[in-house]
Amino acid sequence: MFILFSCSSNAIAQTQEENLTATILNLDSAFWKTYNSCDTAGNKAFFTDDVEFYHDKGGITLGAPALI
């Protein structure tokens, strides 16, 4: 019984991991699609109003309006 439960648990974990990976890849693709097409309204959906962006050369950018 333990072996059966163990195999079942691994299958569920793998499915959850695959779902998470698919979600991350879809959101990553959607982000870059808005970014590369200069869709500022669509790109804003990926940030909160209090976003802080740190660039190694340009320094800090505070807030979604400044970042977008």
Side-chain angles (χ1 to χ4, degrees):
M1 183 61 108
F2 176 74
I3 294 172
L4 178 61
F5 178 73
S6 177
C7 291
S8 174
S9 176
N10 287 341
I12 292 170
Q14 185 175 15
T15 300
Q16 290 173 340
E17 185 176 321
E18 290 170 353
N19 289 341
L20 178 60
T21 299
T23 298
I24 291 169
L25 291 174
N26 286 334
L27 288 172
D28 182 70
S29 176
F31 172 83
W32 289 108
K33 183 176 181 180
T34 63
Y35 179 86
N36 289 328
S37 64
C38 297
D39 177 6
T40 55
N43 194 254
K44 186 179 184 318
F46 292 96
F47 301 101
T48 59
D49 290 334
D50 63 345
V51 64
E52 297 180 6
F53 179 78
Y54 297 88
H55 191 278
D56 60 340
K57 294 183 181 178
I60 187 171
T61 301
L62 297 173
L67 182 61
I68 303 301

